[in-house]
Amino acid sequence: MTAARTATARALPPVLLLVVLLATWQTVVVVGQIPAFLLPSPSAIGSELVALWPTISSAILVTGGNSLLGLLLGALIGVVVAVVAGLLPSADRMLQPFVAGLAVVPIVALAPVLYTMYGAASEVARVIVAAIAAFVPVFVTTTRGLRQVRPVHRDLMRAYGATPRQATVTVTVPTALPFVFTGLRLASSLAVISAIVAEYFGGPRTGIGSFITTAAAGSNYARAWAFVVGGILVGLAFYGVTLAAEHLVRRRSGPRAG
């Protein structure tokens, strides 16, 4: 019962804030008679959300699937490459400029090129864009975490005659876990955002981004905002799952992972 009360106490303030913001939004739009093309009312958006939920839920699955594949691929490569960079200083020096350049690659320029390479009917381009977006924060935070191991711990492992691989698995990776999950939390949101933005520039007209552009082009702004809400739901779901996984791993790993 205590745990339930604690969860309720934590959830209540943001819920109340959301209610206040929506009520204020609705009041401002109605009283100020703001045109829909400037700012639709929450009630209009909610009506579109309910009416189009089957379509929105289908688009959520498409965008969510691409984002998930991209997140898993980018995070896996980010962790592996970070571990290699931690073991080989020369590799670290070579990778840092590459990652810095990758971090500033504009999606608006990359997505059309990938559609040309893999075909406008393929989802591969969106997965690659999401993977690139996820790779950078995971690599950066994991690399930082791998450098947090105290020299005395490394010396102790050498004194025990541990191999570099054993030292990495036993000491380095557990120490870096909090940093890895920090990168994953950042990457989970970036993967969704990148997948949605990539949908603006081509590919199958099945994802959230595609429906947003279609609705906006038809001047149906409340409908466009309803699909934006769908995108927000995907992002929140990814963030929540990542956060839950972090808590689970920390609880099982004990103080070292925390």
Side-chain angles (χ1 to χ4, degrees):
M1 183 64 68
T2 303
R5 289 179 179 177
T6 302
T8 302
R10 290 180 178 178
L12 190 58
V15 171
L16 290 177
L17 177 61
L18 178 61
V19 171
V20 171
L21 290 176
L22 290 177
T24 304
W25 180 355
Q26 180 74 25
T27 302
V28 169
V29 171
V30 173
V31 174
Q33 297 183 347
I34 299 177
F37 69 88
L38 289 180
L39 185 64
S41 66
S43 60
I45 296 172
S47 298
E48 291 287 345
L49 188 64
V50 172
L52 294 172
W53 179 247
T55 303
I56 294 174
S57 60
S58 177
I60 285 175
L61 292 177
V62 173
T63 301
N66 292 333
S67 303
L68 179 60
L69 288 175
L71 175 61
L72 294 177
L73 181 62
L76 177 61
I77 296 175
V79 170
V80 172
V81 174
V83 171
V84 172
L87 293 174
L88 303 173
S90 58
D92 187 21
R93 289 191 296 270
M94 289 187 295
L95 285 168
Q96 291 299 334
F98 171 76
V99 174
L102 201 61
V104 297
V105 172
I107 299 174
V108 294
L110 182 61
V113 174
L114 293 175
Y115 284 131
T116 302
M117 293 171 59
Y118 294 99
S122 174
E123 302 282 357
V124 175
R126 297 167 179 176
V127 173
I128 293 176
V129 168
I132 293 174
F135 167 81
V136 175
V138 171
F139 171 82
V140 171
T141 56
T142 302
T143 301
R144 183 179 179 184
L146 294 173
R147 294 170 179 164
Q148 301 302 308
V149 180
R150 297 178 181 177
V152 65
H153 292 163
R154 296 184 187 275
D155 294 339
L156 184 61
M157 294 303 293
R158 292 193 190 98
Y160 285 150
T163 64
R165 177 181 177 277
Q166 289 173 328
T168 299
V169 173
T170 306
V171 176
T172 309
V173 171
T175 302
L177 270 180
F179 295 85
V180 174
F181 276 107
T182 297
L184 285 174
R185 289 200 304 270
L186 295 172
S188 63
S189 300
L190 289 174
V192 174
I193 294 170
S194 300
I196 292 175
V197 173
E199 291 169 350
Y200 292 165
F201 301 99
R205 311 296 292 178
T206 53
I208 292 174
S210 303
F211 284 107
I212 291 175
T213 55
T214 300
S219 299
N220 197 331
Y221 301 104
R223 180 170 299 180
W225 274 87
F227 282 102
V228 170
V229 173
I232 293 173
L233 294 177
V234 177
L236 289 175
F238 272 57
Y239 185 86
V241 170
T242 305
L243 193 62
E246 179 181 9
H247 287 316
L248 180 62
V249 171
R250 287 188 175 188
R251 181 179 300 176
R252 291 187 175 182
S253 300
R256 167 170 283 185

